[in-house]
Amino acid sequence: MFEKFFSSIGFEGAEVKTTINPSTFSPGDSVNGLVTVKGGQGDQEIAGIQLTLFVFHDNEVRSDSDFSYYDEELKQVVLKDMTEIKANEKKEIPFTMHLSEKHPRSSSVIQTYIQTKLLVHNGVDPEDKDIITIK
């Protein structure tokens, strides 16, 4: 009875994990990965899985900010393949995301990562963050 309630507020709810292998790419490459969703204590409705490609810039001066770092959102993909995850169920969904030909290369001040967010109705959205190297 309480399982569905606890899952809806993020306690013992669904978990998301993204696997990207290999983790090194070149500009213009396709990034292939697998999103694994594991159900929590109760069944949960899923609005989608949001994958967002970010580039983290450090030590960069910007006139519109007081901070020397920022995350630049480059691309977002929403997977609508799943509408529900049952209690303790495990589902895997493959994805592909394409890097632009002008994607910045990784360095000590530039990092690329993919943030995965499980969009859960009326609850806390579990997240995962995976760093990839661009050479």
Side-chain angles (χ1 to χ4, degrees):
M1 177 177 179
F2 288 107
E3 291 87 0
K4 191 166 187 163
F5 169 73
F6 285 134
S7 292
S8 73
I9 61 171
F11 183 74
E12 299 289 331
E15 297 174 1
V16 65
K17 176 71 181 136
T18 302
T19 307
I20 301 168
N21 195 3
S23 61
T24 302
F25 302 92
S26 297
D29 282 354
S30 294
V31 177
N32 297 305
L34 187 67
V35 177
T36 303
V37 180
K38 186 176 183 312
Q41 293 285 22
D43 299 352
Q44 286 183 276
E45 290 183 40
I46 307 296
I49 299 169
Q50 179 180 313
L51 296 155
T52 309
L53 179 68
F54 285 98
V55 173
F56 172 77
H57 300 267
D58 193 7
N59 247 355
E60 194 168 306
V61 178
R62 290 177 34 165
S63 60
D64 63 341
S65 178
D66 293 334
F67 299 99
S68 65
Y69 59 88
Y70 67 99
D71 293 303
E72 178 184 10
E73 182 179 322
L74 298 181
K75 183 179 286 193
Q76 190 174 89
V77 175
V78 177
L79 307 175
K80 299 272 189 177
D81 302 32
M82 183 179 0
T83 57
E84 180 182 45
I85 186 80
K86 302 269 187 209
N88 300 311
E89 180 181 23
K90 182 178 174 182
K91 290 186 178 182
E92 295 181 332
I93 298 133
F95 73 91
T96 300
M97 188 177 279
H98 303 284
L99 302 175
S100 81
E101 293 289 337
K102 296 180 180 180
H103 193 96
R105 296 180 191 280
S106 299
S107 70
S108 61
V109 295
I110 295 176
Q111 229 177 25
T112 299
Y113 66 93
I114 295 176
Q115 178 180 349
T116 307
K117 195 173 196 178
L118 185 64
L119 305 175
V120 180
H121 289 291
N122 302 321
V124 177
D125 298 335
E127 294 183 6
D128 184 37
K129 179 178 170 181
D130 296 275
I131 295 172
I132 59 175
T133 303
I134 311 300
K135 290 192 173 197

